[in-house]
Amino acid sequence: NWLGIKDSGYRFHGHTPKVYKKPARHQWQTPAGSELEYLLSRGFTEETINIAKVKCGNGKVYFPFIMDDETPMIKWRSIDSKDTAPTSADQRPCLYGWHTIPSTARTVTICEGEFDQMSLTQYGKAALSVPYGGGKGAKQTNWIETEFDNLQRFDEIFLAMDNDEAGQDAALVIADRLGIHRCRIVTLPGKDANECLMNGIELEAILQ
C-alpha cells in the first residue's frame, strides 16, 4: 500500500515439476549367446559387462540407468543395427553410469553413448553418458535440468563427445550450462571411446 501497488488478483504460480513414469521392463536376462558375442565384439571384457549391469533379450542390449538403487530410465540398443531408444515414454532423463562412479570421485568424463561409457570404465576412468546422444537443444537441456545438482560434486568435467559436428555442438552446450571454468573438451584418437577400445588404442593415448 505504501508503494501504491494495488492487488490485481493475480497469484504467482511456481514451477510445476514434470511427473515422470517408471520405465517399462521388458523380458531380459544376463547376456548370453549371440548378444554376449556382440558385446565381446565391441571390445568389452566380461568384467566390464558385469559392472555395467547390462541385460539382453530379443536381439537387444538393455542399459539400466541406476541412481541410488533406483532405475529412473532404461534404454535398449539393437545388436543388428544402430537403433536405440528408451523402453517407454516419459522416463526421467538422466546420465548413464552413476552406479560405476566412486563416491570419492571429484573428476568425471561425460561421453555420448552407453558403449562409450562402458569403454571409458574399462579404461579405468569415472564416466557418465548423456541419454540422447549429441546435438543441441532439449537433447541436452532436459537431462541437465534433472542432473545439475548431482554434478555439483565434480571439480573437473571432461567432455569426450563424438568427434563430429553433433558431438562438438553438444560439448559446447554442456560446458556452457555446467560451467566453462570446470569443463575440458577432449579430442580422442578416434571417433569415440568405443572405437578407440575396438581399435586397441592404449590407455596412455586416451589420457593424452
Side-chain angles (χ1 to χ4, degrees), residues 4-154:
I5 298 173
K6 303 297 183 180
D7 184 356
S8 64
Y10 175 80
R11 292 293 179 266
F12 175 75
H13 297 281
H15 173 67
T16 302
K18 182 175 179 179
V19 177
Y20 298 105
K21 298 179 181 178
K22 291 184 178 181
R25 292 177 176 270
H26 294 193
Q27 290 185 340
W28 59 42
Q29 59 188 1
T30 301
S34 61
E35 293 149 347
L36 176 59
E37 290 178 7
Y38 171 72
L39 290 169
L40 295 174
S41 74
R42 302 294 304 223
F44 302 124
T45 63
E46 292 197 33
E47 179 183 7
T48 298
I49 294 170
N50 290 333
I51 290 172
K53 297 185 183 297
V54 295
K55 301 295 182 183
C56 293
N58 300 318
K60 295 177 179 178
V61 179
Y62 292 91
F63 304 94
F65 288 55
I66 302 170
M67 300 179 64
D68 299 326
D69 297 324
E70 295 185 0
T71 306
M73 186 173 180
I74 299 174
K75 283 179 62 179
W76 61 265
R77 178 185 175 123
S78 170
I79 67 172
D80 299 316
S81 68
K82 292 185 177 181
D83 293 343
T84 180
T87 57
S88 57
D90 298 324
Q91 300 182 36
R92 191 180 84 203
C94 59
L95 295 166
Y96 173 74
W98 279 112
H99 64 284
T100 70
I101 305 294
S103 60
T104 56
R106 293 298 175 265
T107 298
V108 71
T109 300
I110 296 179
C111 56
E112 193 171 318
E114 294 79 22
F115 281 163
D116 294 331
Q117 190 279 338
M118 291 173 62
S119 300
L120 290 168
T121 297
Q122 189 160 308
Y123 276 118
K125 304 295 293 180
L128 298 165
S129 169
V130 299
Y132 304 126
K136 305 176 183 178
K139 293 179 73 174
Q140 311 308 330
T141 56
N142 282 353
W143 70 259
I144 291 174
E145 180 180 351
T146 62
E147 292 280 38
F148 188 86
D149 290 340
N150 296 327
L151 292 167
Q152 289 298 94
R153 59 183 269 203
F154 298 110

Side-chain angles (χ1 to χ4, degrees), residues 172-191:
L172 294 175
V173 171
I174 295 168
D176 183 60
R177 295 295 296 272
L178 299 185
I180 292 290
H181 64 285
R182 61 174 177 155
C183 289
R184 309 284 181 267
I185 294 180
V186 177
T187 302
L188 292 171
K191 179 180 180 295

